[in-house]
Amino acid sequence: MSLVLKDISIRNFRNHESFKLEKPKRLIIIVGENASGKTNIVEALQLVTAAKSFRNPQWASVVSFNSTNCAVEFIFEQNKRHLEIKMEIENNKRSYYLNGKRKNVNEICGLTPGVIFIPDDLDIIKNSSEVRRELIDETGQQLSKNYNSILNDYKKTLKQRNNILKEQKERTIDQKVLDSWNENLVILGAMLFVNRIKIYKKLTEYASQYYLKLTSNEILTSEYIPSFNDNKEEIPYVSLFDLNKDAVEELLRKALNKVIYEEKTRGKTLIGPHRDEINFFINNREARSFASQGQQRSIALALKLGQLSLIRELSGNQPILLLDDVMSELDEKRRNELIKVIDGQIQTIITATDVLCFNGETLKNAQIIELKKS
């Protein structure tokens, strides 16, 4: 099921009035000064692969000045099958098309899977658990339309329940209404948890393998702490992976009943997958507190490589890898390990301010595109 990228076309996207690349090589290096539009190309490509942007923009803001619409288009071949994916933005709305037929976002997300690595990802360990949860959820969304649907429904339910809890400070809430939203949160939260924990388990297993390659003698482990079990009294950590949906529902209901007074006081939901914690350890020492910057960056790289391998394993497709200005942030050993994994087998697009961080062999095999400030 190998996907081969045949054409990239971008029109009126941010500072790019027109950008076109036909018959691209497996490795593309886009070189340019800051503000030349390198990251804008990466963002456009992410919108076609993962159907989202790491910038989370207002859609109207990505349309070039003095233009009313923009478009990003990929053409792939897959076992002689022609696959044309197009995204258009007009009137602050996105539209997607597959071989000319209108599709919704869920149908596009993960169709041509992608992994993006940006400088902010290097801080994934020292940042909040929300960032680490998002990494798992983004992986799940590209692997399963069902995962994407569950996550979106959970977020909508969470938002509505939070609105109801905030109203508690101003007026008395109908308990039946709150009970109904409690049940929605429990059901969707349990479904999200059992799906997320499966992705987490496989992703962290891959990450541990890559981390060992990067460091030779350090062991990376991790811990997932659900909000319903933050003190580890309800259920031992080792059996988290064995929980089924019904068991998680019961644990969530019990935990919600314990904190309902505090939730009404604070006006927000305190139990659910949106509050789960994820921690990493190097040789049994918590990485967030004790790891050096180099170790934390190795974990970040290992997680991204793990994401790449997991998507490849479960989807059967090689993901497109988008690396935006991260090569200069990695030392030679980490860069070489990353290039080794790519090794001409993965469609990779790298942006950089210069080519000094690439060795001669890499440059020889790459298609180099130079951008000028507009």
Side-chain angles (χ1 to χ4, degrees), residues 150-188:
I150 293 168
L151 179 62
N152 289 333
D153 288 345
Y154 178 82
K155 287 180 177 179
K156 292 175 185 175
T157 298
L158 176 64
K159 182 178 180 180
Q160 186 62 39
R161 188 175 186 273
N162 282 339
N163 288 338
I164 292 173
L165 289 170
K166 288 174 185 176
E167 292 174 2
Q168 169 69 22
K169 296 180 179 181
E170 301 175 6
R171 62 181 178 82
T172 302
I173 299 174
D174 185 336
Q175 189 60 44
K176 289 184 179 180
V177 172
L178 183 58
D179 287 344
S180 174
W181 284 106
N182 286 351
E183 192 61 16
N184 287 342
L185 188 85
V186 163
I187 292 171
L188 289 167

Side-chain angles (χ1 to χ4, degrees), residues 27 29 336 339 350 358-367:
L27 176 59
I29 300 176
N336 289 340
I339 293 297
I350 304 175
F358 302 97
N359 60 43
E361 189 65 23
T362 300
L363 293 175
K364 179 182 176 182
N365 295 325
Q367 181 175 358

Side-chain angles (χ1 to χ4, degrees), residues 27 49 55 60 69 71 74 81 180 191 212 216 236 246 267 305 309 328:
L27 176 59
T49 55
R55 288 168 162 165
N69 58 69
F74 273 19
R81 176 190 173 202
S180 174
M191 289 176 10
L212 188 60
S216 301
D246 291 342
L305 294 176
S309 293
S328 60

